[in-house]
């Protein structure tokens, strides 16, 4: 009878070991699945941030183009005898345009990307993976 108990314990130990190994394998599979989903989410987060950064720059370019056209239009239409308000506006608009154009230089855009953590190794700033796996 002792030998039967020994065999039973050995079988039980083997079954427990098999269950533990199965649980560990399942946990590794779940972790790998979570890691893959997180990589996809991280890539989407980065792409969304980059698209938003590009959109902001393109929007500024559109505004500059509109301001260029307005200044050109008003400059050609300025009467021989200029009005003080229009003259002041044109002067201000040209200064404003020059400042905004300077903010769209290559160096200014590089500094902007660095400040916003875009197009670099830290693109995934503020990424929070979903906890609902």
């Amino acid at each position: 009878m002792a030998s039967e108990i020994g065999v039973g314990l050995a079988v039980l130990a083997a079954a427990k070991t098999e269950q533990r190994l199965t649980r560990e394998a399942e946990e590794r599979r779940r972790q790998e699945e979570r890691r893959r989903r997180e990589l996809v989410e991280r890539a989407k987060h980065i792409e969304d941030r980059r698209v938003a950064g590009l959109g902001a720059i393109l929007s500024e370019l559109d505004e500059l183009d509109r301001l260029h056209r307005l200044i050109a239009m008003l400059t050609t239409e300025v009467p021989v005898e200029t009005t003080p308000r229009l003259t002041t506006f044109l002067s201000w608009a040209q200064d404003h345009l020059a400042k905004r154009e300077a903010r769209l230089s290559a160096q200014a855009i590089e500094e902007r990307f660095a400040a916003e953590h875009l197009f670099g190794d830290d693109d995934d700033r503020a990424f929070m993976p979903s906890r609902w796996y």
Side-chain angles (χ1 to χ4, degrees):
M1 185 151 169
S3 66
E4 289 177 14
I5 292 174
V7 169
L9 287 176
V11 169
L12 181 62
K16 290 281 191 184
T17 301
E18 181 62 31
Q19 287 174 346
R20 180 181 54 81
L21 292 174
T22 302
R23 279 193 314 271
E24 288 173 356
E26 179 63 22
E27 181 60 25
R28 282 191 301 274
R29 185 192 64 73
R30 278 196 309 270
Q31 290 293 337
E32 180 60 23
E33 222 175 85
R34 179 178 295 138
R35 187 189 67 78
R36 275 191 243 121
R37 279 193 302 264
E38 193 172 298
L39 284 174
V40 169
E41 286 180 23
R42 186 179 304 273
K44 183 181 180 325
H45 174 77
I46 290 170
E47 185 66 14
D48 289 349
R49 291 188 71 234
R50 287 179 173 186
V51 167
L54 173 63
I57 290 172
L58 292 177
S59 176
E60 287 182 38
L61 281 173
D62 287 343
E63 289 178 25
L64 288 180
D65 184 48
R66 290 173 37 212
L67 187 54
H68 266 294
R69 286 183 288 148
L70 176 64
I71 290 172
M73 180 188 73
L74 290 176
T75 303
T76 59
E77 291 184 14
V78 169
V80 176
E81 188 177 308
T82 60
T83 62
R85 290 181 191 269
L86 186 57
T87 303
T88 302
F89 170 74
L90 283 173
S91 175
W92 175 84
Q94 289 167 339
D95 289 343
H96 183 72
L97 180 63
K99 289 176 189 172
R100 299 227 12 222
E101 284 177 336
R103 290 192 338 225
L104 290 175
S105 70
Q107 181 61 36
I109 289 175
E110 173 65 28
E111 291 169 4
R112 179 183 192 163
F113 287 160
E116 294 176 2
H117 302 277
L118 283 172
F119 297 98
D121 294 339
D122 54 353
D123 263 354
D124 62 350
R125 181 180 177 89
F127 172 70
M128 295 295 292
S130 174
R131 299 291 181 219
W132 299 100
Y133 295 129

